[in-house]
Amino acid sequence: NIILSISLNITVGNLGQITLGHAGFMSIGAYSAGIFLKTGIIEGIPGFFIALLIGGLFAFLFSLAIGIPVLRLNGDYLAIITLAFGEIIRVLIEYFDFTGGPQGLRGIPKFNNFDIIYWIMVFSVILMFSLMTSRHGRAVLAIREDEIASCASGINTTYYKTFAFTLSAIFAGIAGG
């Protein structure tokens, strides 16, 4: 939950865009990681880390497909589109058989190691903090403060909006996994 809330802070807090479909990215990450773990290709701790990366990758791909056309919108319009995205993901998860339908996935190997999960959280928070205090993060903050002025000063607003949105989705996918 900490990773999810910090990743939501990238889009809502640092970028200043209201997104209501963040749970959709978490669901994509959770189901893609769960399906990978259920196959049993790689087991144990290495399989868990690879499943987290797969969850983040699939969330990234979906956020890129959604983010490029949608981030041209602002305010309520962006919130409505992302809310619709979250609902579409929910309906698709319940529709397909490989996701377990309305019953959900069964037979996912359990992983209960607090130390490893704690250090994944610490690493994720440090990485997100480092990115948001870097040059890229300052560009995202400039877009939040005044998008027109940041565009006039040479910041590629489309790139940095997409960067923040996809970065947020990657960590939401990892949190879901």
Side-chain angles (χ1 to χ4, degrees):
N1 287 335
I2 293 171
I3 296 172
L4 181 66
S5 63
I6 296 294
S7 73
L8 183 60
N9 187 47
I10 292 173
T11 304
V12 177
N14 293 337
L15 185 59
Q17 301 292 323
I18 299 171
T19 175
L20 298 175
H22 210 63
F25 297 122
M26 186 178 88
S27 300
I28 290 169
Y31 273 89
S32 58
I35 290 170
F36 174 77
L37 286 173
K38 191 175 173 182
T39 61
I41 296 172
I42 301 173
E43 297 178 358
I45 294 173
F48 177 69
F49 283 119
I50 291 173
L52 291 181
L53 293 176
I54 288 173
L57 175 69
F58 275 95
F60 167 76
L61 293 174
F62 274 86
S63 70
L64 202 58
I66 295 296
I68 290 174
V70 168
L71 286 173
R72 296 168 196 240
L73 302 172
N74 285 323
D76 296 340
Y77 302 111
L78 178 65
I80 291 169
I81 295 293
T82 56
L83 179 64
F85 165 73
E87 282 300 306
I88 289 169
I89 293 300
R90 183 189 62 81
V91 168
L92 289 176
I93 285 172
E94 290 180 357
Y95 176 75
F96 290 115
D97 290 332
F98 69 89
T99 61
Q103 302 297 321
L105 284 177
R106 294 175 189 233
I108 302 171
K110 293 186 179 186
F111 184 78
N112 294 329
N113 189 337
F114 180 76
D115 295 335
I116 292 176
I117 294 172
Y118 174 78
W119 287 110
I120 290 171
M121 182 271 306
V122 168
F123 176 74
S124 298
V125 170
I126 289 171
L127 184 62
M128 284 185 267
F129 177 78
S130 299
L131 284 170
M132 285 299 114
T133 55
S134 69
R135 178 176 64 93
H136 300 292
R138 287 192 307 271
V140 170
L141 289 173
I143 293 170
R144 179 191 71 189
E145 295 302 324
D146 191 354
E147 187 172 347
I148 296 170
S150 61
C151 185
S153 66
I155 294 174
N156 188 349
T157 56
T158 305
Y159 170 77
Y160 282 109
K161 278 182 164 182
T162 307
F163 168 75
F165 191 72
T166 54
L167 180 69
S168 177
I170 288 169
F171 282 104
I174 290 172

